[in-house]
PDB file of all heavy atoms in Angstrom:
ATOM      1  N   MET A  11      36.869 -14.973  -9.737  1.00  0.00           N
ATOM      2  CA  MET A  11      36.451 -15.201 -11.112  1.00  0.00           C
ATOM      3  C   MET A  11      37.566 -15.985 -11.816  1.00  0.00           C
ATOM      4  O   MET A  11      38.745 -15.684 -11.633  1.00  0.00           O
ATOM      5  CB  MET A  11      36.245 -13.885 -11.852  1.00  0.00           C
ATOM      6  CG  MET A  11      35.249 -12.954 -11.238  1.00  0.00           C
ATOM      7  SD  MET A  11      35.050 -11.451 -12.187  1.00  0.00           S
ATOM      8  CE  MET A  11      34.114 -12.074 -13.605  1.00  0.00           C
ATOM      9  N   ILE A  13      38.424 -16.943 -15.711  1.00  0.00           N
ATOM     10  CA  ILE A  13      37.981 -16.666 -17.056  1.00  0.00           C
ATOM     11  C   ILE A  13      39.025 -17.072 -18.063  1.00  0.00           C
ATOM     12  O   ILE A  13      40.172 -17.361 -17.715  1.00  0.00           O
ATOM     13  CB  ILE A  13      37.686 -15.156 -17.229  1.00  0.00           C
ATOM     14  CG1 ILE A  13      38.948 -14.338 -16.997  1.00  0.00           C
ATOM     15  CG2 ILE A  13      36.550 -14.714 -16.300  1.00  0.00           C
ATOM     16  CD1 ILE A  13      38.796 -12.881 -17.371  1.00  0.00           C
ATOM     17  N   GLN A  14      38.630 -17.049 -19.331  1.00  0.00           N
ATOM     18  CA  GLN A  14      39.539 -17.339 -20.419  1.00  0.00           C
ATOM     19  C   GLN A  14      40.189 -16.060 -20.911  1.00  0.00           C
ATOM     20  O   GLN A  14      39.556 -14.985 -20.895  1.00  0.00           O
ATOM     21  CB  GLN A  14      38.798 -17.999 -21.589  1.00  0.00           C
ATOM     22  CG  GLN A  14      38.161 -19.322 -21.269  1.00  0.00           C
ATOM     23  CD  GLN A  14      39.184 -20.447 -21.228  1.00  0.00           C
ATOM     24  OE1 GLN A  14      40.230 -20.364 -21.883  1.00  0.00           O
ATOM     25  NE2 GLN A  14      38.901 -21.487 -20.476  1.00  0.00           N
ATOM     26  N   GLU A  15      41.426 -16.146 -21.336  1.00  0.00           N
ATOM     27  CA  GLU A  15      42.097 -14.989 -21.907  1.00  0.00           C
ATOM     28  C   GLU A  15      41.250 -14.404 -23.026  1.00  0.00           C
ATOM     29  O   GLU A  15      40.674 -15.121 -23.844  1.00  0.00           O
ATOM     30  CB  GLU A  15      43.464 -15.425 -22.443  1.00  0.00           C
ATOM     31  CG  GLU A  15      44.299 -14.292 -23.023  1.00  0.00           C
ATOM     32  CD  GLU A  15      45.652 -14.750 -23.480  1.00  0.00           C
ATOM     33  OE1 GLU A  15      45.952 -15.949 -23.361  1.00  0.00           O
ATOM     34  OE2 GLU A  15      46.460 -13.904 -23.941  1.00  0.00           O
ATOM     35  N   GLY A  16      41.149 -13.089 -23.064  1.00  0.00           N
ATOM     36  CA  GLY A  16      40.382 -12.417 -24.102  1.00  0.00           C
ATOM     37  C   GLY A  16      38.981 -12.011 -23.668  1.00  0.00           C
ATOM     38  O   GLY A  16      38.354 -11.167 -24.298  1.00  0.00           O
ATOM     39  N   GLU A  17      38.508 -12.642 -22.578  1.00  0.00           N
ATOM     40  CA  GLU A  17      37.159 -12.303 -22.094  1.00  0.00           C
ATOM     41  C   GLU A  17      37.170 -10.943 -21.349  1.00  0.00           C
ATOM     42  O   GLU A  17      38.215 -10.495 -20.853  1.00  0.00           O
ATOM     43  CB  GLU A  17      36.638 -13.379 -21.130  1.00  0.00           C
ATOM     44  CG  GLU A  17      36.305 -14.677 -21.820  1.00  0.00           C
ATOM     45  CD  GLU A  17      35.703 -15.685 -20.829  1.00  0.00           C
ATOM     46  OE1 GLU A  17      35.287 -15.280 -19.741  1.00  0.00           O
ATOM     47  OE2 GLU A  17      35.669 -16.886 -21.176  1.00  0.00           O
ATOM     48  N   ASP A  18      36.006 -10.338 -21.292  1.00  0.00           N
ATOM     49  CA  ASP A  18      35.829  -9.124 -20.503  1.00  0.00           C
ATOM     50  C   ASP A  18      35.400  -9.513 -19.081  1.00  0.00           C
ATOM     51  O   ASP A  18      34.760 -10.550 -18.857  1.00  0.00           O
ATOM     52  CB  ASP A  18      34.752  -8.218 -21.115  1.00  0.00           C
ATOM     53  CG  ASP A  18      35.157  -7.727 -22.497  1.00  0.00           C
ATOM     54  OD1 ASP A  18      36.348  -7.827 -22.860  1.00  0.00           O
ATOM     55  OD2 ASP A  18      34.278  -7.256 -23.218  1.00  0.00           O
ATOM     56  N   VAL A  19      35.758  -8.664 -18.115  1.00  0.00           N
ATOM     57  CA  VAL A  19      35.491  -8.933 -16.719  1.00  0.00           C
ATOM     58  C   VAL A  19      34.791  -7.722 -16.104  1.00  0.00           C
ATOM     59  O   VAL A  19      35.111  -6.585 -16.453  1.00  0.00           O
ATOM     60  CB  VAL A  19      36.828  -9.181 -15.965  1.00  0.00           C
ATOM     61  CG1 VAL A  19      36.598  -9.223 -14.455  1.00  0.00           C
ATOM     62  CG2 VAL A  19      37.491 -10.449 -16.445  1.00  0.00           C
ATOM     63  N   MET A  21      33.467  -6.336 -12.130  1.00  0.00           N
ATOM     64  CA  MET A  21      33.332  -6.528 -10.698  1.00  0.00           C
ATOM     65  C   MET A  21      32.782  -5.246 -10.104  1.00  0.00           C
ATOM     66  O   MET A  21      32.932  -4.170 -10.683  1.00  0.00           O
ATOM     67  CB  MET A  21      34.670  -6.908 -10.071  1.00  0.00           C
ATOM     68  CG  MET A  21      35.785  -5.914 -10.278  1.00  0.00           C
ATOM     69  SD  MET A  21      37.405  -6.563  -9.815  1.00  0.00           S
ATOM     70  CE  MET A  21      37.793  -7.623 -11.234  1.00  0.00           C
ATOM     71  N   TYR A  35      42.294  -0.835  -6.613  1.00  0.00           N
ATOM     72  CA  TYR A  35      43.678  -1.262  -6.503  1.00  0.00           C
ATOM     73  C   TYR A  35      43.801  -2.697  -6.986  1.00  0.00           C
ATOM     74  O   TYR A  35      42.848  -3.480  -6.915  1.00  0.00           O
ATOM     75  CB  TYR A  35      44.131  -1.240  -5.025  1.00  0.00           C
ATOM     76  CG  TYR A  35      44.409   0.114  -4.429  1.00  0.00           C
ATOM     77  CD1 TYR A  35      43.394   0.885  -3.882  1.00  0.00           C
ATOM     78  CD2 TYR A  35      45.716   0.610  -4.393  1.00  0.00           C
ATOM     79  CE1 TYR A  35      43.666   2.135  -3.315  1.00  0.00           C
ATOM     80  CE2 TYR A  35      46.007   1.849  -3.813  1.00  0.00           C
ATOM     81  CZ  TYR A  35      44.978   2.584  -3.278  1.00  0.00           C
ATOM     82  OH  TYR A  35      45.243   3.827  -2.704  1.00  0.00           O
ATOM     83  N   LYS A  36      45.028  -3.059  -7.435  1.00  0.00           N
ATOM     84  CA  LYS A  36      45.328  -4.441  -7.747  1.00  0.00           C
ATOM     85  C   LYS A  36      46.509  -4.878  -6.879  1.00  0.00           C
ATOM     86  O   LYS A  36      47.461  -4.125  -6.683  1.00  0.00           O
ATOM     87  CB  LYS A  36      45.731  -4.602  -9.221  1.00  0.00           C
ATOM     88  CG  LYS A  36      46.016  -6.040  -9.601  1.00  0.00           C
ATOM     89  CD  LYS A  36      46.649  -6.153 -10.969  1.00  0.00           C
ATOM     90  CE  LYS A  36      46.968  -7.624 -11.266  1.00  0.00           C
ATOM     91  NZ  LYS A  36      47.978  -7.786 -12.300  1.00  0.00           N
ATOM     92  N   GLN A  37      46.407  -6.108  -6.343  1.00  0.00           N
ATOM     93  CA  GLN A  37      47.461  -6.638  -5.509  1.00  0.00           C
ATOM     94  C   GLN A  37      47.931  -7.971  -6.021  1.00  0.00           C
ATOM     95  O   GLN A  37      47.119  -8.892  -6.204  1.00  0.00           O
ATOM     96  CB  GLN A  37      46.956  -6.759  -4.053  1.00  0.00           C
ATOM     97  CG  GLN A  37      48.039  -7.155  -3.077  1.00  0.00           C
ATOM     98  CD  GLN A  37      47.574  -7.158  -1.631  1.00  0.00           C
ATOM     99  OE1 GLN A  37      46.399  -7.373  -1.349  1.00  0.00           O
ATOM    100  NE2 GLN A  37      48.448  -6.877  -0.693  1.00  0.00           N
ATOM    101  N   ASP A  38      49.229  -8.083  -6.270  1.00  0.00           N
ATOM    102  CA  ASP A  38      49.837  -9.332  -6.654  1.00  0.00           C
ATOM    103  C   ASP A  38      50.306 -10.050  -5.377  1.00  0.00           C
ATOM    104  O   ASP A  38      50.554  -9.409  -4.358  1.00  0.00           O
ATOM    105  CB  ASP A  38      51.013  -9.104  -7.584  1.00  0.00           C
ATOM    106  CG  ASP A  38      50.576  -8.583  -8.945  1.00  0.00           C
ATOM    107  OD1 ASP A  38      49.464  -8.924  -9.368  1.00  0.00           O
ATOM    108  OD2 ASP A  38      51.328  -7.797  -9.544  1.00  0.00           O
ATOM    109  N   PRO A  39      50.474 -11.370  -5.410  1.00  0.00           N
ATOM    110  CA  PRO A  39      50.869 -12.120  -4.211  1.00  0.00           C
ATOM    111  C   PRO A  39      52.144 -11.580  -3.603  1.00  0.00           C
ATOM    112  O   PRO A  39      53.145 -11.373  -4.319  1.00  0.00           O
ATOM    113  CB  PRO A  39      51.047 -13.549  -4.741  1.00  0.00           C
ATOM    114  CG  PRO A  39      50.184 -13.610  -5.947  1.00  0.00           C
ATOM    115  CD  PRO A  39      50.207 -12.262  -6.573  1.00  0.00           C
ATOM    116  N   LEU A  46      44.976   1.637  -9.424  1.00  0.00           N
ATOM    117  CA  LEU A  46      44.625   1.546 -10.831  1.00  0.00           C
ATOM    118  C   LEU A  46      43.862   2.775 -11.309  1.00  0.00           C
ATOM    119  O   LEU A  46      44.190   3.358 -12.320  1.00  0.00           O
ATOM    120  CB  LEU A  46      43.775   0.285 -11.084  1.00  0.00           C
ATOM    121  CG  LEU A  46      44.403  -1.060 -10.724  1.00  0.00           C
ATOM    122  CD1 LEU A  46      43.380  -2.185 -10.881  1.00  0.00           C
ATOM    123  CD2 LEU A  46      45.615  -1.334 -11.584  1.00  0.00           C
ATOM    124  N   ASN A  58      41.710   3.500 -17.816  1.00  0.00           N
ATOM    125  CA  ASN A  58      43.163   3.390 -17.704  1.00  0.00           C
ATOM    126  C   ASN A  58      43.541   2.183 -18.548  1.00  0.00           C
ATOM    127  O   ASN A  58      43.520   1.037 -18.083  1.00  0.00           O
ATOM    128  CB  ASN A  58      43.581   3.214 -16.253  1.00  0.00           C
ATOM    129  CG  ASN A  58      45.063   3.027 -16.093  1.00  0.00           C
ATOM    130  OD1 ASN A  58      45.819   3.155 -17.073  1.00  0.00           O
ATOM    131  ND2 ASN A  58      45.519   2.726 -14.891  1.00  0.00           N
ATOM    132  N   GLY A  59      43.817   2.418 -19.836  1.00  0.00           N
ATOM    133  CA  GLY A  59      44.099   1.309 -20.741  1.00  0.00           C
ATOM    134  C   GLY A  59      42.865   0.456 -20.915  1.00  0.00           C
ATOM    135  O   GLY A  59      41.794   0.962 -21.297  1.00  0.00           O
ATOM    136  N   ARG A  60      42.966  -0.829 -20.633  1.00  0.00           N
ATOM    137  CA  ARG A  60      41.837  -1.739 -20.801  1.00  0.00           C
ATOM    138  C   ARG A  60      40.901  -1.712 -19.584  1.00  0.00           C
ATOM    139  O   ARG A  60      39.892  -2.444 -19.557  1.00  0.00           O
ATOM    140  CB  ARG A  60      42.363  -3.174 -20.999  1.00  0.00           C
ATOM    141  CG  ARG A  60      43.108  -3.374 -22.322  1.00  0.00           C
ATOM    142  CD  ARG A  60      43.684  -4.796 -22.458  1.00  0.00           C
ATOM    143  NE  ARG A  60      44.693  -5.066 -21.424  1.00  0.00           N
ATOM    144  CZ  ARG A  60      44.472  -5.804 -20.360  1.00  0.00           C
ATOM    145  NH1 ARG A  60      43.291  -6.402 -20.174  1.00  0.00           N
ATOM    146  NH2 ARG A  60      45.437  -6.004 -19.481  1.00  0.00           N
ATOM    147  N   LEU A  61      41.207  -0.905 -18.614  1.00  0.00           N
ATOM    148  CA  LEU A  61      40.386  -0.828 -17.395  1.00  0.00           C
ATOM    149  C   LEU A  61      39.484   0.394 -17.467  1.00  0.00           C
ATOM    150  O   LEU A  61      39.898   1.475 -17.898  1.00  0.00           O
ATOM    151  CB  LEU A  61      41.268  -0.688 -16.167  1.00  0.00           C
ATOM    152  CG  LEU A  61      41.880  -1.967 -15.573  1.00  0.00           C
ATOM    153  CD1 LEU A  61      42.756  -2.696 -16.540  1.00  0.00           C
ATOM    154  CD2 LEU A  61      42.630  -1.647 -14.279  1.00  0.00           C
ATOM    155  N   LEU A  74      34.249  -1.913 -11.776  1.00  0.00           N
ATOM    156  CA  LEU A  74      35.478  -1.954 -12.567  1.00  0.00           C
ATOM    157  C   LEU A  74      35.300  -2.969 -13.677  1.00  0.00           C
ATOM    158  O   LEU A  74      34.897  -4.109 -13.414  1.00  0.00           O
ATOM    159  CB  LEU A  74      36.663  -2.348 -11.687  1.00  0.00           C
ATOM    160  CG  LEU A  74      38.005  -2.548 -12.422  1.00  0.00           C
ATOM    161  CD1 LEU A  74      38.553  -1.212 -12.901  1.00  0.00           C
ATOM    162  CD2 LEU A  74      39.035  -3.238 -11.522  1.00  0.00           C
ATOM    163  N   ASN A  75      35.574  -2.557 -14.897  1.00  0.00           N
ATOM    164  CA  ASN A  75      35.550  -3.469 -16.030  1.00  0.00           C
ATOM    165  C   ASN A  75      36.961  -3.631 -16.566  1.00  0.00           C
ATOM    166  O   ASN A  75      37.723  -2.649 -16.678  1.00  0.00           O
ATOM    167  CB  ASN A  75      34.681  -2.950 -17.169  1.00  0.00           C
ATOM    168  CG  ASN A  75      33.195  -3.085 -16.833  1.00  0.00           C
ATOM    169  OD1 ASN A  75      32.805  -3.830 -15.928  1.00  0.00           O
ATOM    170  ND2 ASN A  75      32.366  -2.340 -17.522  1.00  0.00           N
ATOM    171  N   ILE A  76      37.321  -4.851 -16.951  1.00  0.00           N
ATOM    172  CA  ILE A  76      38.562  -5.109 -17.636  1.00  0.00           C
ATOM    173  C   ILE A  76      38.204  -5.741 -18.971  1.00  0.00           C
ATOM    174  O   ILE A  76      37.523  -6.763 -19.040  1.00  0.00           O
ATOM    175  CB  ILE A  76      39.462  -6.082 -16.868  1.00  0.00           C
ATOM    176  CG1 ILE A  76      39.715  -5.556 -15.454  1.00  0.00           C
ATOM    177  CG2 ILE A  76      40.806  -6.290 -17.578  1.00  0.00           C
ATOM    178  CD1 ILE A  76      40.459  -6.535 -14.531  1.00  0.00           C
ATOM    179  N   SER A  77      38.662  -5.156 -20.044  1.00  0.00           N
ATOM    180  CA  SER A  77      38.344  -5.682 -21.362  1.00  0.00           C
ATOM    181  C   SER A  77      39.521  -6.499 -21.888  1.00  0.00           C
ATOM    182  O   SER A  77      40.666  -6.246 -21.567  1.00  0.00           O
ATOM    183  CB  SER A  77      38.023  -4.546 -22.340  1.00  0.00           C
ATOM    184  OG  SER A  77      39.145  -3.723 -22.513  1.00  0.00           O
ATOM    185  N   ALA A  78      39.167  -7.520 -22.695  1.00  0.00           N
ATOM    186  CA  ALA A  78      40.165  -8.364 -23.379  1.00  0.00           C
ATOM    187  C   ALA A  78      41.259  -8.787 -22.413  1.00  0.00           C
ATOM    188  O   ALA A  78      42.437  -8.465 -22.577  1.00  0.00           O
ATOM    189  CB  ALA A  78      40.751  -7.591 -24.553  1.00  0.00           C
ATOM    190  N   SER A  79      40.877  -9.543 -21.381  1.00  0.00           N
ATOM    191  CA  SER A  79      41.804  -9.920 -20.318  1.00  0.00           C
ATOM    192  C   SER A  79      43.007 -10.701 -20.855  1.00  0.00           C
ATOM    193  O   SER A  79      42.921 -11.408 -21.862  1.00  0.00           O
ATOM    194  CB  SER A  79      41.061 -10.758 -19.270  1.00  0.00           C
ATOM    195  OG  SER A  79      40.503 -11.922 -19.888  1.00  0.00           O
ATOM    196  N   ILE A  80      44.110 -10.519 -20.166  1.00  0.00           N
ATOM    197  CA  ILE A  80      45.367 -11.199 -20.488  1.00  0.00           C
ATOM    198  C   ILE A  80      45.902 -11.872 -19.223  1.00  0.00           C
ATOM    199  O   ILE A  80      45.491 -11.497 -18.112  1.00  0.00           O
ATOM    200  CB  ILE A  80      46.408 -10.218 -21.086  1.00  0.00           C
ATOM    201  CG1 ILE A  80      46.709  -9.091 -20.101  1.00  0.00           C
ATOM    202  CG2 ILE A  80      45.918  -9.668 -22.413  1.00  0.00           C
ATOM    203  CD1 ILE A  80      47.770  -8.111 -20.594  1.00  0.00           C
ATOM    204  N   PRO A  81      46.796 -12.847 -19.352  1.00  0.00           N
ATOM    205  CA  PRO A  81      47.270 -13.563 -18.152  1.00  0.00           C
ATOM    206  C   PRO A  81      47.823 -12.664 -17.052  1.00  0.00           C
ATOM    207  O   PRO A  81      47.685 -12.960 -15.884  1.00  0.00           O
ATOM    208  CB  PRO A  81      48.340 -14.504 -18.718  1.00  0.00           C
ATOM    209  CG  PRO A  81      47.866 -14.805 -20.112  1.00  0.00           C
ATOM    210  CD  PRO A  81      47.283 -13.497 -20.602  1.00  0.00           C
ATOM    211  N   SER A  82      48.455 -11.572 -17.406  1.00  0.00           N
ATOM    212  CA  SER A  82      49.033 -10.710 -16.359  1.00  0.00           C
ATOM    213  C   SER A  82      47.986  -9.904 -15.604  1.00  0.00           C
ATOM    214  O   SER A  82      48.313  -9.208 -14.653  1.00  0.00           O
ATOM    215  CB  SER A  82      50.063  -9.732 -16.986  1.00  0.00           C
ATOM    216  OG  SER A  82      49.428  -8.886 -17.923  1.00  0.00           O
ATOM    217  N   ASP A  83      46.722 -10.032 -15.979  1.00  0.00           N
ATOM    218  CA  ASP A  83      45.636  -9.410 -15.186  1.00  0.00           C
ATOM    219  C   ASP A  83      45.360 -10.204 -13.912  1.00  0.00           C
ATOM    220  O   ASP A  83      44.641  -9.733 -13.054  1.00  0.00           O
ATOM    221  CB  ASP A  83      44.340  -9.326 -15.998  1.00  0.00           C
ATOM    222  CG  ASP A  83      44.432  -8.325 -17.142  1.00  0.00           C
ATOM    223  OD1 ASP A  83      45.234  -7.357 -17.026  1.00  0.00           O
ATOM    224  OD2 ASP A  83      43.731  -8.504 -18.152  1.00  0.00           O
ATOM    225  N   VAL A  84      45.936 -11.378 -13.806  1.00  0.00           N
ATOM    226  CA  VAL A  84      45.742 -12.208 -12.620  1.00  0.00           C
ATOM    227  C   VAL A  84      46.171 -11.445 -11.362  1.00  0.00           C
ATOM    228  O   VAL A  84      47.198 -10.816 -11.317  1.00  0.00           O
ATOM    229  CB  VAL A  84      46.551 -13.522 -12.728  1.00  0.00           C
ATOM    230  CG1 VAL A  84      46.627 -14.241 -11.391  1.00  0.00           C
ATOM    231  CG2 VAL A  84      45.940 -14.422 -13.793  1.00  0.00           C
ATOM    232  N   GLY A  85      45.334 -11.529 -10.345  1.00  0.00           N
ATOM    233  CA  GLY A  85      45.640 -10.872  -9.081  1.00  0.00           C
ATOM    234  C   GLY A  85      44.357 -10.661  -8.298  1.00  0.00           C
ATOM    235  O   GLY A  85      43.302 -11.147  -8.653  1.00  0.00           O
ATOM    236  N   ILE A  86      44.487  -9.907  -7.219  1.00  0.00           N
ATOM    237  CA  ILE A  86      43.318  -9.578  -6.403  1.00  0.00           C
ATOM    238  C   ILE A  86      43.039  -8.100  -6.589  1.00  0.00           C
ATOM    239  O   ILE A  86      43.899  -7.260  -6.431  1.00  0.00           O
ATOM    240  CB  ILE A  86      43.554  -9.902  -4.911  1.00  0.00           C
ATOM    241  CG1 ILE A  86      43.905 -11.367  -4.751  1.00  0.00           C
ATOM    242  CG2 ILE A  86      42.296  -9.545  -4.112  1.00  0.00           C
ATOM    243  CD1 ILE A  86      44.200 -11.758  -3.304  1.00  0.00           C
ATOM    244  N   TYR A  87      41.805  -7.793  -6.933  1.00  0.00           N
ATOM    245  CA  TYR A  87      41.376  -6.418  -7.159  1.00  0.00           C
ATOM    246  C   TYR A  87      40.548  -5.951  -5.975  1.00  0.00           C
ATOM    247  O   TYR A  87      39.600  -6.608  -5.543  1.00  0.00           O
ATOM    248  CB  TYR A  87      40.543  -6.332  -8.435  1.00  0.00           C
ATOM    249  CG  TYR A  87      41.388  -6.578  -9.671  1.00  0.00           C
ATOM    250  CD1 TYR A  87      41.726  -7.884 -10.046  1.00  0.00           C
ATOM    251  CD2 TYR A  87      41.876  -5.519 -10.443  1.00  0.00           C
ATOM    252  CE1 TYR A  87      42.526  -8.117 -11.149  1.00  0.00           C
ATOM    253  CE2 TYR A  87      42.665  -5.738 -11.559  1.00  0.00           C
ATOM    254  CZ  TYR A  87      42.992  -7.050 -11.899  1.00  0.00           C
ATOM    255  OH  TYR A  87      43.790  -7.291 -13.008  1.00  0.00           O
ATOM    256  N   PHE A  88      40.935  -4.823  -5.416  1.00  0.00           N
ATOM    257  CA  PHE A  88      40.256  -4.261  -4.252  1.00  0.00           C
ATOM    258  C   PHE A  88      39.607  -2.921  -4.623  1.00  0.00           C
ATOM    259  O   PHE A  88      40.233  -2.089  -5.259  1.00  0.00           O
ATOM    260  CB  PHE A  88      41.234  -3.991  -3.110  1.00  0.00           C
ATOM    261  CG  PHE A  88      41.751  -5.232  -2.440  1.00  0.00           C
ATOM    262  CD1 PHE A  88      43.008  -5.733  -2.772  1.00  0.00           C
ATOM    263  CD2 PHE A  88      41.023  -5.887  -1.459  1.00  0.00           C
ATOM    264  CE1 PHE A  88      43.497  -6.872  -2.161  1.00  0.00           C
ATOM    265  CE2 PHE A  88      41.493  -7.022  -0.861  1.00  0.00           C
ATOM    266  CZ  PHE A  88      42.747  -7.523  -1.206  1.00  0.00           C
ATOM    267  N   THR A 107      38.393  -9.129  -5.074  1.00  0.00           N
ATOM    268  CA  THR A 107      37.960 -10.095  -6.096  1.00  0.00           C
ATOM    269  C   THR A 107      39.188 -10.727  -6.665  1.00  0.00           C
ATOM    270  O   THR A 107      40.050 -10.017  -7.230  1.00  0.00           O
ATOM    271  CB  THR A 107      37.163  -9.397  -7.226  1.00  0.00           C
ATOM    272  OG1 THR A 107      35.950  -8.884  -6.697  1.00  0.00           O
ATOM    273  CG2 THR A 107      36.854 -10.388  -8.349  1.00  0.00           C
ATOM    274  N   MET A 108      39.309 -12.042  -6.505  1.00  0.00           N
ATOM    275  CA  MET A 108      40.463 -12.747  -7.064  1.00  0.00           C
ATOM    276  C   MET A 108      40.179 -13.108  -8.526  1.00  0.00           C
ATOM    277  O   MET A 108      39.161 -13.743  -8.811  1.00  0.00           O
ATOM    278  CB  MET A 108      40.763 -14.028  -6.281  1.00  0.00           C
ATOM    279  CG  MET A 108      41.919 -14.805  -6.859  1.00  0.00           C
ATOM    280  SD  MET A 108      42.290 -16.299  -5.965  1.00  0.00           S
ATOM    281  CE  MET A 108      42.905 -15.642  -4.440  1.00  0.00           C
ATOM    282  N   LEU A 109      41.040 -12.661  -9.389  1.00  0.00           N
ATOM    283  CA  LEU A 109      40.861 -12.925 -10.834  1.00  0.00           C
ATOM    284  C   LEU A 109      41.917 -13.899 -11.297  1.00  0.00           C
ATOM    285  O   LEU A 109      43.126 -13.684 -11.134  1.00  0.00           O
ATOM    286  CB  LEU A 109      40.952 -11.629 -11.634  1.00  0.00           C
ATOM    287  CG  LEU A 109      40.849 -11.750 -13.148  1.00  0.00           C
ATOM    288  CD1 LEU A 109      39.480 -12.282 -13.540  1.00  0.00           C
ATOM    289  CD2 LEU A 109      41.123 -10.426 -13.826  1.00  0.00           C
ATOM    290  N   LEU A 110      41.470 -14.967 -11.932  1.00  0.00           N
ATOM    291  CA  LEU A 110      42.354 -15.928 -12.556  1.00  0.00           C
ATOM    292  C   LEU A 110      42.060 -15.969 -14.031  1.00  0.00           C
ATOM    293  O   LEU A 110      40.873 -16.008 -14.441  1.00  0.00           O
ATOM    294  CB  LEU A 110      42.125 -17.326 -11.961  1.00  0.00           C
ATOM    295  CG  LEU A 110      42.452 -17.445 -10.445  1.00  0.00           C
ATOM    296  CD1 LEU A 110      42.051 -18.794  -9.908  1.00  0.00           C
ATOM    297  CD2 LEU A 110      43.943 -17.197 -10.204  1.00  0.00           C
ATOM    298  N   VAL A 111      43.079 -15.920 -14.877  1.00  0.00           N
ATOM    299  CA  VAL A 111      42.922 -15.878 -16.322  1.00  0.00           C
ATOM    300  C   VAL A 111      43.651 -17.066 -16.924  1.00  0.00           C
ATOM    301  O   VAL A 111      44.844 -17.249 -16.731  1.00  0.00           O
ATOM    302  CB  VAL A 111      43.476 -14.576 -16.929  1.00  0.00           C
ATOM    303  CG1 VAL A 111      43.282 -14.564 -18.434  1.00  0.00           C
ATOM    304  CG2 VAL A 111      42.809 -13.352 -16.288  1.00  0.00           C
ATOM    305  N   SER A 112      42.873 -17.864 -17.642  1.00  0.00           N
ATOM    306  CA  SER A 112      43.458 -19.046 -18.305  1.00  0.00           C
ATOM    307  C   SER A 112      43.923 -18.676 -19.712  1.00  0.00           C
ATOM    308  O   SER A 112      43.150 -18.107 -20.481  1.00  0.00           O
ATOM    309  CB  SER A 112      42.400 -20.143 -18.364  1.00  0.00           C
ATOM    310  OG  SER A 112      42.874 -21.224 -19.116  1.00  0.00           O
ATOM    311  N   PRO A 113      45.171 -18.998 -20.063  1.00  0.00           N
ATOM    312  CA  PRO A 113      45.693 -18.686 -21.387  1.00  0.00           C
ATOM    313  C   PRO A 113      44.954 -19.432 -22.500  1.00  0.00           C
ATOM    314  O   PRO A 113      44.383 -20.489 -22.276  1.00  0.00           O
ATOM    315  CB  PRO A 113      47.160 -19.127 -21.349  1.00  0.00           C
ATOM    316  CG  PRO A 113      47.456 -19.372 -19.939  1.00  0.00           C
ATOM    317  CD  PRO A 113      46.188 -19.653 -19.211  1.00  0.00           C
TER     318      PRO A 113
END
Side-chain angles (χ1 to χ4, degrees):
Chain A
M11 302 181 74
I13 62 171
Q14 297 284 333
E15 182 177 1
E17 290 184 17
D18 296 344
V19 171
M21 58 192 77
Y35 285 86
K36 182 191 177 200
Q37 187 174 29
D38 292 328
L46 300 174
N58 178 7
R60 293 178 296 104
L61 278 60
L74 174 70
N75 286 343
I76 305 173
S77 62
S79 58
I80 58 178
S82 62
D83 291 334
V84 166
I86 302 178
Y87 292 79
F88 290 99
T107 294
M108 178 181 291
L109 177 64
L110 298 173
V111 181
S112 173

